Amino acid sequence: KMEIQQIMKGNFSSFMQKEIFEQPESVVNTMRGRINYELEQVTLGGIKSYVPEIRRCRRLLMIGCGTSYHSAIATRQLLEELTELPVMIDLASDFLDRNTPIFRDDVCFFISQSGETADTLSALRYCKSRGALIVGITNTVGSTICRESHCGVHINAGPEIGVASTKAYTSQILSLTMFALVMSEDRISLQPRRSEIIQGLKALPDMIRKVLEQDNKVLEIAKQLYEKRSLLIMGRGFNFATCLEGALKVKELTYMHSEGIQAGELKHGPLALVDSEVPIIMIVMRDHVFTKCMNALQQVTARDGRPILICEEGDQETAKWGKEFLEVPKSVDALQGILTVIPMQLLSYHLAVLRGCNVDCPRNLAKSVTVE
């Protein structure tokens, strides 16, 4: 069995590294046969017959655990924009603790890589018993969540072996983005926005390749950080989910304390942590929250913070505020989170290697959490 696994790894030192570098292919697999770029049509076969019913619903709920929960946060803003429905996001365990009211005209999404996550499954059964429409978003055909949901989207990212989820996260974001595109198909006012996103999806695999080329630069940054005690990651808007997901990866792989902070919350407490010693990563993109992010960045530098910036390609003006910077290509704001998370995945991988941790099997964790 080990021999087969060595072959599967190819030239990579661990499955997680292989899965990070597979992302240009895995995002293509997620979109394959589902998007027609010429006609700008999106077809999700698994939910096709339920789309009219989903369009009649009054609110969307997205429920997941860990990384799957972050993929819901990443797509929430786009779903609200394109469906114009209230979108609730919940951690499955917290959702169950609260006994939330669920109605027959709710549509509930259950997001899980394995399709077997215990908390997510219990939440699914809770919503199903109250008559809501259940949509499963999984990476495993025939899993329990697949079988028990009314309809769903299979993310087709390919098997993921490393415990820390990388390519499944980007594919979950894409699947939810494609759902938003399906929902806005018949809205004339939203057509320019849809078309912009569909063209952005077409260019995505090449942009991911460009980000992966920065691997050596990320390694240099990791060498400055790996002996530190903690790491703060800040951003807002479409990139806030990247902060949470990046921080989770650092916790899982390097056992280092790490926190994703909403940049708008800076003055409400986290600013007290900032000094010249604390490593800070800030994600500053030229999107609709750029001025607010710059405000946060200047707050940090005014207090001797030395942030490492993830910014847009060729944005020298922003880059000069950081002690180091990583550039990612400019995409549509709604897809930018897929590109900004990749440097964080690479960074957590390099930090884990430098700290001598087991990358594929972090201590105390399992790939699919099948107990509560």
Side-chain angles (χ1 to χ4, degrees):
K1 188 185 173 196
M2 277 316 292
E3 278 177 13
I4 296 171
Q5 296 211 331
Q6 285 329 115
I7 297 164
M8 283 167 56
K9 258 189 237 183
N11 305 333
F12 296 103
S13 64
S14 66
F15 282 107
M16 179 177 169
Q17 189 188 22
K18 170 174 169 274
E19 283 151 13
I20 294 173
F21 281 88
E22 262 175 8
Q23 285 175 114
E25 287 75 50
S26 68
V27 299
V28 171
N29 290 337
T30 302
M31 299 186 284
R32 176 168 289 138
R34 291 173 168 174
I35 301 181
N36 181 327
Y37 298 107
E38 281 65 52
L39 301 174
E40 298 195 338
Q41 281 176 342
V42 181
T43 318
L44 292 173
I47 58 169
K48 202 170 180 182
S49 53
Y50 282 88
V51 168
E53 199 178 329
I54 297 173
R55 286 209 175 107
R56 286 199 296 273
C57 78
R58 299 277 297 280
R59 71 171 173 171
L60 303 174
L61 283 92
M62 302 214 282
I63 296 164
C65 301
T67 294
S68 303
Y69 170 69
H70 296 156
S71 68
I73 294 176
T75 44
R76 176 186 202 167
Q77 191 175 338
L78 186 69
L79 276 167
E80 286 178 334
E81 182 187 341
L82 293 181
T83 61
E84 294 183 349
L85 290 166
V87 179
M88 267 181 62
I89 304 187
D90 263 310
L91 280 163
S93 50
D94 180 52
F95 177 81
L96 290 165
D97 295 345
R98 292 202 320 268
N99 279 336
T100 319
I102 294 292
F103 306 108
R104 279 206 307 246
D105 50 8
D106 288 339
V107 170
C108 305
F109 285 79
F110 292 91
I111 311 169
S112 163
Q113 192 280 132
S114 62
E116 305 288 346
T117 315
D119 288 318
T120 311
L121 200 50
S122 308
L124 182 150
R125 288 170 180 155
Y126 174 90
C127 293
K128 199 172 180 180
S129 67
R130 281 160 178 72
L133 181 70
I134 309 296
V135 184
I137 309 272
T138 68
N139 191 27
T140 313
V141 184
S143 58
T144 315
I145 288 178
C146 278
R147 293 197 307 269
E148 296 201 12
S149 50
H150 295 116
C151 59
V153 182
H154 184 253
I155 68 170
N156 296 328
E160 193 179 55
I161 294 162
V163 169
S165 174
T166 48
K167 62 178 183 175
Y169 173 72
T170 45
S171 289
Q172 282 165 347
I173 294 180
L174 279 182
S175 301
L176 290 163
T177 303
M178 289 190 293
F179 169 76
L181 294 170
V182 167
M183 290 296 283
S184 57
E185 225 159 30
D186 52 357
R187 300 286 304 279
I188 302 223
S189 58
L190 295 172
Q191 290 315 305
R193 176 70 164 149
R194 272 191 85 232
S195 136
E196 178 192 25
I197 292 168
I198 290 173
Q199 294 315 315
L201 288 171
K202 190 176 183 179
L204 195 64
D206 291 328
M207 289 185 174
I208 293 177
R209 281 189 193 93
K210 264 188 169 167
V211 181
L212 291 169
E213 284 166 13
Q214 308 233 5
D215 191 36
N216 288 329
K217 196 166 180 192
V218 178
L219 177 59
E220 293 310 309
I221 291 175
K223 283 175 182 167
Q224 299 171 28
L225 295 179
Y226 79 101
E227 288 165 318
K228 302 280 194 201
R229 292 286 305 280
S230 101
L231 176 62
L232 304 179
I233 308 168
M234 303 179 193
R236 63 189 293 164
F238 284 109
N239 292 303
F240 174 51
T242 296
C243 300
L244 295 177
E245 174 57 17
L248 178 65
K249 287 289 153 280
V250 173
K251 287 173 204 162
E252 283 180 314
L253 295 169
T254 67
Y255 321 141
M256 180 170 146
H257 168 258
S258 172
E259 191 180 352
I261 295 172
Q262 167 68 320
E265 280 290 291
L266 204 54
K267 292 194 183 75
H268 299 277
L271 198 54
L273 294 169
V274 174
D275 61 23
S276 56
E277 293 301 301
V278 180
I280 299 170
I281 294 177
M282 293 190 77
I283 302 170
V284 185
M285 291 289 151
R286 293 267 173 175
D287 52 12
H288 63 291
V289 291
F290 174 69
T291 47
K292 294 175 180 174
C293 285
M294 282 308 285
N295 174 15
L297 175 53
Q298 286 156 9
Q299 293 290 330
V300 168
T301 48
R303 286 162 184 76
D304 291 331
R306 309 279 308 285
I308 292 162
L309 297 180
I310 296 178
C311 59
E312 261 175 32
E313 220 169 32
D315 188 358
Q316 295 303 317
E317 199 183 324
T318 307
K320 68 171 195 279
W321 287 90
K323 71 164 178 177
E324 294 278 352
F325 64 92
L326 289 164
E327 293 181 305
V328 297
K330 179 173 176 57
S331 179
V332 190
D333 53 4
L335 302 175
Q336 199 71 58
I338 293 177
L339 297 173
T340 52
V341 79
I342 294 169
M344 291 309 308
Q345 294 173 347
L346 290 168
L347 181 70
S348 58
Y349 165 76
H350 287 306
L351 286 170
V353 172
L354 289 165
R355 288 169 71 108
C357 305
N358 182 334
V359 180
D360 284 336
C361 302
R363 64 182 184 203
N364 313 344
L365 296 177
K367 177 66 186 154
S368 52
V369 185
T370 52
V371 290
E372 288 194 0

